[in-house]
Amino acid sequence: MGRVRDDVPSAAPGGPAEAQVPPVPSGAGIRAGAPLCDAGLVDVAATISPLLGAQPPSTSVGNVMRGVIERH
């Protein structure tokens, strides 16, 4: 985590503070109330790709959150 000033931490996208926030998918094509086991922000691109009818990005390191997608 970087620091704006010596006493104030700042978070960069994908940094440690952000990595601790679990994703909460919702909307069309998402199964309501599905449990998210070991899901993280790295899984978002891989998860929304099938909803858009696309392949996950070739550089994606995440996995599809299969339990939350209704059509997968």
Side-chain angles (χ1 to χ4, degrees), residues 15-49:
E18 192 173 86
Q20 295 176 9
V21 177
V24 182
S26 66
I30 301 295
R31 184 174 293 122
L36 294 174
C37 298
D38 300 321
L41 293 176
V42 298
D43 302 316
V44 173
T47 301
I48 64 171
S49 294

Side-chain angles (χ1 to χ4, degrees), residues 1-2 6 10 13-14 17 22-23 25 28 30 32 41 43-44 47-48 54 56 58 60 62-63 65 68-69:
M1 188 177 313
D6 287 340
S10 67
I30 301 295
L41 293 176
D43 302 316
V44 173
T47 301
I48 64 171
S58 61
S60 176
N63 298 303
M65 293 181 263
V68 301
I69 298 178

